[in-house]
Amino acid sequence: MAADRVGLGWRGELAAGILSNLAQIDVLEVIADDYYRASRASMDALCSLARQVPVSLHGVGMGLASTIAAEPRRLHAMARLMKLVQAESWSEHLSFVRAGGVEIGHLAAPPRTPETVAGTLANIALASRIVGSTPLMENIATLVKPPASTLDEAEWLAQIIDGAQVPLLLDLHNLYANAVNSGQDPQALLLRLPLTRVGAVHLSGGHWIDEPGGTGRRLLDDHLHDVPAEVFDLLTVLARQAPQALTVILERDGNYPSFEHVLDQLALARAALRAGRAA
């Protein structure tokens, strides 16, 4: 079996640390949307980076989990970027980001219904044809169960991943947050997913926010905090259950610590993988 890999999301604020420590980073994930209209100099820098370390492109604006058809111009932009950078893979979110011509400005969870499953399958098929390769599809975090849902999260995810025959980009903090926010056991939710289809993993952190009226708390996935111990524990469970090699990406979008601390987080991810494989 190929070896597990641990890497990092490319951010400008982390660039100096990343470039100084490439030997400790197996793969980088780059936000594709940042480069659709990038300057020649920025594109040259990205291509140079991709020659030094494996790069995966991560989309945020396609809105493939929707009954609304995906916009071909966005898919063609990803296709051009994949060809230019020679990225090893690309991914998107199981979310919608627009409706009725309105951009809502964040990744929203659609109702988990057979209709959104069908719409998502059609959009993934279109995206795969235009880009020329199948995307990894990522589960997203939501503070509340999407209204009008008739399927639970595990059922909805499995119907899409199995139906589209695509790999799952499993965000373990999103899974953890959704589980605790809905009163579920995170490990039980994890074990209901099609784990043999996991192609990559995201790790991140968040913080607790008060519910309106002070009746309780919910976990907000914000990518501004360290990965909690419970999420590393889920990575160990995943490594114990999934026979395939895993690519694990640490995401950090602000409140940046020292790069030594970032490397410590990568080391914890490697330790969690080793613990699961040993078991």
Side-chain angles (χ1 to χ4, degrees), residues 85-237:
V85 177
Q86 293 295 291
E88 65 173 28
S89 63
W90 71 283
S91 58
E92 248 294 351
H93 299 82
L94 286 167
S95 68
F96 75 95
V97 296
R98 65 188 59 84
V102 177
E103 298 285 336
I104 62 177
H106 69 278
L107 304 173
R112 298 174 184 142
T113 64
E115 290 76 17
T116 59
V117 169
T120 303
L121 294 180
N123 280 332
I124 292 174
L126 176 64
S128 299
R129 287 196 301 273
I130 291 177
V131 178
S133 58
T134 57
L136 292 92
M137 295 303 302
E138 180 182 356
N139 60 304
I140 69 164
T142 178
L143 289 171
V144 298
K145 178 182 177 181
S149 294
T150 58
L151 302 170
D152 69 20
E153 183 174 16
E155 293 169 330
W156 188 77
L157 286 172
Q159 288 190 23
I160 291 171
I161 297 301
D162 290 338
Q165 293 289 291
V166 294
L168 172 62
L169 171 48
L170 179 56
D171 190 309
L172 286 175
H173 190 265
N174 288 352
L175 179 145
Y176 176 69
N178 288 356
V180 297
N181 288 340
S182 60
Q184 300 180 68
D185 175 57
Q187 182 171 323
L189 177 57
L190 172 67
L191 295 176
R192 292 183 58 214
L193 299 183
L195 299 185
T196 58
R197 288 198 171 275
V198 175
V201 178
H202 275 176
L203 303 178
S204 62
H207 73 283
W208 292 93
I209 59 174
D210 292 330
E211 292 182 350
T215 56
R217 297 192 306 163
R218 291 184 181 268
L219 182 57
L220 175 67
D221 175 70
D222 62 10
H223 295 190
L224 303 179
H225 297 80
D226 287 349
V227 180
E230 295 87 349
V231 171
F232 284 123
D233 291 342
L234 290 174
L235 179 57
T236 295
V237 174

Side-chain angles (χ1 to χ4, degrees), residues 33-47 81 84-85:
D33 303 58
D34 293 343
Y35 289 89
Y36 289 159
R37 296 181 179 86
S39 67
R40 178 64 178 270
S42 294
M43 290 305 308
D44 287 346
L46 178 57
C47 291
L81 193 58
L84 184 63
V85 177

